[in-house]
Amino acid sequence: MGNLGGPANIFGIKTVLGLWRLVLGLWALAFEVESCVRVGIHQTWSQDLRPKTQGLKPKTALRIGLQFMTRINWYKYASPAAFYSLAGRMIPWFAVPAAVLFAVGLYLGFFVAPTDAQQGDAYRIIFIHVPAAWMGMMLYVLMAIYAAIGWAFNARLASMMASSLSITGAMFTFISLVTGSLWGKPTWGTWWVWDARLTSTLILLFLYIGFISLQAAIDDTRRADRAGALLAIVGVINVPIIYFSVEWWNTLHQGATIRLLDKPTMAPPMLAALLIMLAACWLYSIAVVLARLRCIIVEREQHVWRMAMVRE
Amino acid sequence: MKWSEFFSMGGYALYVWGSYLLTLLAMGAEIVFLLRRRKRCFRATTDSKLNGVIAE
């Protein structure tokens, strides 16, 4: 029993299995109650409307039961063809607000936010540098999550999403490096320094490029997805390194000015412009990633449509 | 803010406007590549007699 871990270790395997059966039994009971209440007790006995879960694995039976009870097909949009049309309807709702927020954010950043006491007007690069850096990091984590889901659950659409995210993420990381460099020259006196944050962000860019290249190099699409997923998952350790680099090491790059729970130390108009630009970048990313996902779906699922044509 | 002040950005015009120009180029390139990819993949599917099957 020693190497089973967790509850099995403490309570013993028989107890754990017993508890699991109890949970399933309670679930079945709730199921029974729901169908009785909904359909009417006498009808339940005469006309069994529940889906047949006999002989299925507990997990599958649970899922089918849940779907039946809630009348929602939770996996509907896991199909590339189904998500294709949903994505098409979603894109304008993200693209248009993105454009608006970019305009608002840039206006606030250039005309409302005051000049900085120490850096003069050079600090205004912050309104694109910081959102781009955040997007680069967040899109990498998202990419790793989708790639992992695509690999673990053999979900094609999740892997396609990871491939779509990679290009936008690489773009934002590149922007953050370049704008950071252009900001560093007047303020630090150097275009580049091999400190912790800059180096780990450069590594992030290499990881993105590696992911894209690896997927492009493998012909079999599912194998390419799995190989890319491995790279993405292993590389995700870099993101917390970037985030905490300014705390862990003595870096030229300044420490965090914005924390989730503390009061901000930045002037309100600057913070407002920064957050609006971040929202704009998020909306832009979603629109672009969904549009690219649609292209990927069409490129990969052609055989599905060909078969449909042939049958007709 | 006066326009001359706005354009010179306190002497940092090269760096500030350079950053925003490069950002615009990068995002613009992304969108242009995306539109070209879209055109290419829909042309490929319509060419192979799947006209009208794919809902736009």
Side-chain angles (χ1 to χ4, degrees):
Chain A
M1 289 302 140
N3 49 358
L4 276 172
N9 224 354
I10 302 167
F11 299 112
I13 193 68
K14 284 203 181 120
T15 322
V16 171
L17 282 177
L19 276 169
W20 178 238
R21 287 202 181 92
L22 180 65
V23 166
L24 282 179
L26 285 170
W27 170 257
L29 182 64
F31 202 85
E32 199 72 51
V33 168
E34 191 271 344
S35 55
C36 285
V37 162
R38 242 188 29 84
V39 179
I41 294 175
H42 65 280
Q43 276 186 310
T44 308
W45 290 113
S46 61
Q47 193 189 56
D48 191 355
L49 296 171
R50 294 165 299 168
K52 296 286 171 285
T53 53
Q54 183 81 315
L56 289 172
K57 288 183 357 197
K59 230 175 26 182
T60 320
L62 257 165
R63 177 169 66 79
I64 291 176
L66 178 65
Q67 279 182 205
F68 174 71
M69 280 179 74
T70 55
R71 303 296 185 275
I72 293 170
N73 181 0
W74 295 96
Y75 291 91
K76 176 178 181 183
Y77 289 111
S79 138
F83 190 71
Y84 179 83
S85 43
L86 175 62
R89 290 196 300 274
M90 282 166 75
I91 290 170
W93 290 96
F94 290 96
V96 171
V100 170
L101 283 183
F102 270 125
V104 170
L106 288 172
Y107 172 77
L108 281 178
F110 281 96
F111 296 103
V112 176
T115 310
D116 187 64
Q118 290 171 324
Q119 293 188 23
D121 284 310
Y123 91 99
R124 295 188 198 271
I125 298 176
I126 198 176
F127 301 118
I128 187 60
H129 172 75
V130 171
W134 281 347
M135 288 316 299
M137 287 163 58
M138 290 194 259
L139 289 178
Y140 190 91
V141 174
L142 266 181
M143 182 178 93
I145 291 172
Y146 274 111
I149 291 173
W151 190 4
F153 299 107
N154 203 24
R156 294 192 316 280
L157 188 61
S159 297
M160 294 184 211
M161 186 68 170
S163 301
S164 182
L165 282 161
S166 62
I167 298 174
T168 307
M171 190 272 293
F172 275 119
T173 308
F174 175 74
I175 287 179
S176 78
L177 285 167
V178 167
T179 55
S181 190
L182 281 164
W183 194 0
K185 182 59 183 167
T187 51
W188 298 336
T190 180
W191 295 106
W192 184 259
V193 64
W194 291 102
D195 82 347
R197 174 157 281 185
L198 275 73
T199 307
S200 46
T201 308
L202 186 64
I203 289 174
L204 187 70
L205 182 62
F206 291 160
L207 281 166
Y208 270 120
I209 293 173
F211 180 91
I212 295 167
S213 313
L214 184 61
Q215 294 210 319
I218 299 175
D219 293 328
D220 181 334
T221 39
R222 283 307 289 157
R223 284 195 69 196
D225 291 339
R226 287 192 291 271
L230 180 59
L231 181 56
I233 293 166
V234 167
V236 87
I237 187 67
N238 190 36
V239 176
I241 290 176
I242 296 175
Y243 186 77
F244 289 110
S245 60
V246 289
E247 259 178 70
W248 293 343
W249 290 288
N250 196 11
T251 62
L252 181 56
H253 192 287
Q254 67 186 73
T257 19
I258 300 165
R259 297 193 171 281
L260 197 58
L261 297 169
D262 289 344
K263 264 162 52 87
T265 51
M266 209 188 264
M270 295 182 193
L271 185 61
L274 188 61
L275 293 175
I276 290 175
M277 284 297 281
L278 178 65
C281 285
W282 258 116
L283 294 171
Y284 165 87
S285 299
I286 295 172
V288 164
V289 166
L290 286 178
R292 191 176 296 115
L293 181 63
R294 275 164 54 98
C295 287
I296 295 175
I297 291 173
V298 171
E299 286 162 11
R300 288 205 205 182
E301 302 286 296
Q302 278 189 29
H303 63 282
V304 172
W305 283 309
R306 279 178 210 280
M307 289 296 285
M309 255 334 260
V310 165
R311 273 195 217 103
E312 284 163 29
Chain B
M1 197 192 281
K2 286 210 301 285
W3 282 109
S4 58
E5 268 177 43
F6 178 73
F7 280 116
S8 77
M9 275 287 136
Y12 297 113
L14 170 71
Y15 306 104
V16 177
W17 297 125
S19 301
Y20 281 96
L21 190 68
L22 277 165
T23 305
L24 197 65
L25 282 174
M27 285 190 182
E30 183 177 26
I31 295 174
V32 162
F33 280 126
L34 187 54
L35 288 173
R36 281 170 52 181
R37 184 173 187 173
R38 218 174 102 85
K39 220 187 306 177
R40 226 180 322 137
C41 72
F42 283 117
R43 197 181 342 120
T45 44
T46 52
D47 278 351
S48 56
K49 299 186 187 94
L50 294 173
N51 230 324
V53 174
I54 296 151
E56 254 286 29

